[in-house]
Amino acid sequence: MRKLESWFPEELVVIGVHSGKFIAERETRNVRQAVLRHGITHPVVNDRQFRIWRSYAVNAWPTLVLIDPAGRVVGQQAGELPAEILADAIRRVVARAESEGALDRSLRSFRLEREGEVDRPLRFPAKLLVDAEGGRLYVADTGHHRIVVVQVDAGGRSGEVEAVVGSGVEGLEDGGWGDAKFCEPHGLALAGGTLYIADTGNHAIRALDLEARTVTTVAGTGEQAPPRTRGGRGRDAALNSPWDVLVHDGAVAIAMAGSHQLWRFDPATLEATPWAGSGAEELYDGSAREAALAQPSGLATDGRRIYFADAESSAVRCLLPGRDASVRTIVGTGLFDFGDRDGEGDAVRLQHPLGLSWHDGVLYVADTYNGKVKVVDPDRRTSETVLGGNGELWEPGGLAVTGRLAYIADTNHHRVAVADLSEGVIEEFEIRGL
């Protein structure tokens, strides 16, 4: 849509109709936050009761409808299409309207939701990483297109800014920490002196050299890969919305949300290739090649298995690497099975979880749309709420647990939260100097 709006600034009006699948997605305040988070500059209607959906006979997300200046529906398409194909259809409608004298280019300007919004030290932080040994907290300050490095104080509840990586201007540019540019960075993974970043908006993996203080693009072309992409090497490897990264057995695992797969990146050869997932969006277990995933968005490991938050199926699943690699589901039962229910096995319900952290033999889960942190035991297949639930957290996107403390990217509250797990009290992590 952004491309089309830039190509047809005087001819095209985009109106987003949001018919939310998840319960949390139907709340107008959450829709507004999504508009702000994604920088949307066109009108969006919250079709929470699916009235517009039904009136246009829609049955799939997304569905695109093209309407001419006379108000006639001249095209309708379910599923995603390249902007170039849509542009051809729009040109034909524009040409016909011009020949009929029906095209009015005097479009009204729209009041943007971001007008009047105050800026904050953090803006929609999506993920974070704790380096307990180095005493640092790394924060993906997603809305500001940068990474914040914090030296954590004794006690773990506050810290001082050590460095800000990225100019704060959206873009794809390598170089020194102050000059580099990112676009909506998310997941972080540390390997020795290198911090890997899932640069989601750029469809790239970036590497921060913590000693040289430089940023390098190690995978990704900067453009979104088409479906069924087989991978490639370095800057020639087209990626599709990498959401999280994890160092595992000398390689970097990538939660490739856009293609519904897990990928593997080899830092030695710069090869990035699919690892698990057929590319179909579904919850289906089996061999790594045959299994179907649904927007994997968070990663964690116990050293052997790779766990992932399968957001669109509201599930927690795992990849068992090796010669006969396979995928199995721990909790979650399908694309349309979601809610907020603790318990055991197939009775468990989550709602669009985005973050995981492995600690002390269990998984801590950022149950994003429920505004909670839950503990999932992968062997017993149980889930239990340990934090949140009273508005204390607002769509948390990531978390990291170390010792008795849980650090949470409290995304829509624009902050990092910290909680002592033995007490269950959530407070803001104070960042000085930002």
Side-chain angles (χ1 to χ4, degrees):
M1 293 299 106
R2 284 195 180 100
K3 285 185 177 179
L4 293 172
E5 287 174 306
S6 67
W7 293 344
F8 301 97
E10 296 179 335
E11 297 85 6
L12 178 69
V13 176
V14 174
I15 299 176
V17 179
H18 180 78
S19 307
K21 166 184 160 181
F22 292 100
I23 296 168
E25 287 182 323
R26 300 173 195 172
E27 296 183 18
T28 298
R29 72 177 196 134
N30 293 342
V31 177
R32 182 178 185 275
Q33 291 299 306
V35 167
L36 291 170
R37 189 167 62 245
H38 296 297
I40 293 172
T41 57
H42 55 249
V44 175
V45 57
N46 184 10
D47 184 30
R48 60 183 300 165
Q49 295 180 331
F50 286 67
R51 290 173 178 168
I52 300 173
W53 173 286
R54 289 192 296 271
S55 71
Y56 280 85
V58 173
N59 57 21
W61 294 279
T63 293
L64 305 173
V65 179
L66 186 59
I67 300 171
D68 72 6
R72 297 173 297 211
V73 173
V74 294
Q76 185 161 326
Q77 171 70 39
E80 297 183 17
L81 285 176
E84 290 74 14
I85 293 178
L86 291 167
D88 288 341
I90 292 168
R91 288 188 190 99
R92 289 194 294 270
V93 175
V94 168
R96 179 174 176 178
E98 283 182 321
S99 67
E100 296 173 349
L103 185 62
D104 180 4
R105 285 187 163 86
S106 59
L107 299 180
R108 298 188 189 95
S109 60
F110 302 110
R111 178 188 174 276
L112 301 181
E113 283 297 316
R114 64 171 177 254
E115 293 177 10
E117 281 283 301
V118 298
D119 201 8
R120 302 169 174 86
L122 296 176
R123 188 170 188 272
F124 296 110
K127 301 283 186 183
L128 48 75
L129 171 72
V130 174
D131 175 16
E133 185 177 337
R136 291 182 178 88
L137 174 69
Y138 299 90
V139 183
D141 189 8
T142 307
H144 285 137
H145 311 292
R146 64 186 185 180
I147 307 298
V148 178
V149 184
V150 181
Q151 187 68 50
V152 180
D153 298 337
R157 299 174 186 271
S158 59
E160 185 89 23
V161 171
E162 181 179 311
V164 174
V165 186
S167 67
V169 178
E170 178 182 339
L172 176 57
E173 190 170 314
D174 292 344
W177 281 12
D179 301 321
K181 294 180 181 179
F182 302 91
C183 181
E184 299 182 1
H186 278 66
L188 310 169
L190 188 63
T194 302
L195 181 74
Y196 291 99
I197 301 170
D199 194 9
T200 307
N202 280 322
H203 308 285
I205 303 298
R206 318 289 293 279
L208 271 61
D209 188 316
L210 299 177
E211 185 175 343
R213 296 200 163 211
T214 57
V215 176
T216 305
T217 302
V218 294
T221 64
E223 295 291 331
Q224 186 174 18
R228 314 294 180 180
T229 299
R230 297 183 179 181
R233 185 175 184 275
R235 294 292 297 264
D236 294 327
L239 311 182
N240 192 338
S241 296
W243 214 264
D244 202 4
V245 284
L246 172 77
V247 175
H248 182 272
D249 196 23
V252 178
I254 306 171
M256 202 74 74
S259 62
H260 312 296
Q261 294 174 312
L262 299 184
W263 280 41
R264 184 181 187 276
F265 171 73
D266 187 335
T269 64
L270 301 183
E271 290 289 336
T273 53
W275 196 1
S278 64
E281 184 179 17
E282 186 56 81
L283 190 152
Y284 178 76
D285 291 347
S287 68
R289 290 178 178 272
E290 296 176 347
L293 319 184
Q295 292 183 22
S297 301
L299 297 170
T301 184
D302 58 7
R304 185 173 68 90
R305 293 172 288 189
I306 296 175
Y307 301 97
F308 58 97
D310 210 35
E312 199 64 17
S313 65
S314 297
V316 175
R317 308 172 71 186
C318 74
L319 168 67
L320 286 78
R323 187 171 183 178
D324 299 315
S326 62
V327 171
R328 71 177 181 89
T329 299
I330 298 167
V331 294
T333 55
L335 286 173
F336 295 92
D337 301 331
F338 55 86
D340 185 4
R341 186 192 304 158
D342 291 342
E344 182 178 350
D346 289 349
V348 172
R349 290 290 182 269
L350 307 174
Q351 191 179 185
H352 205 268
L354 291 177
L356 296 179
S357 179
W358 175 263
H359 180 68
D360 201 20
V362 293
L363 285 164
Y364 286 81
V365 182
D367 192 7
T368 306
Y369 282 178
N370 284 323
K372 294 181 176 181
V373 173
K374 299 183 177 181
V375 170
V376 170
D377 186 317
D379 296 322
R380 296 168 53 218
R381 298 185 64 219
T382 58
S383 173
E384 178 186 1
T385 299
V386 292
L387 294 170
N390 297 313
E392 301 160 288
L393 301 173
W394 191 3
E395 295 194 5
L399 77 168
V401 179
T402 178
R404 69 178 191 279
L405 296 179
Y407 295 88
I408 306 159
D410 194 6
T411 304
N412 283 359
H413 278 141
H414 308 285
R415 67 173 186 170
V416 172
V418 60
D420 188 317
L421 294 169
S422 62
E423 299 172 356
V425 178
I426 300 171
E427 57 187 78
E428 183 169 352
F429 179 87
E430 181 190 357
I431 302 177
R432 299 185 304 277
L434 185 60

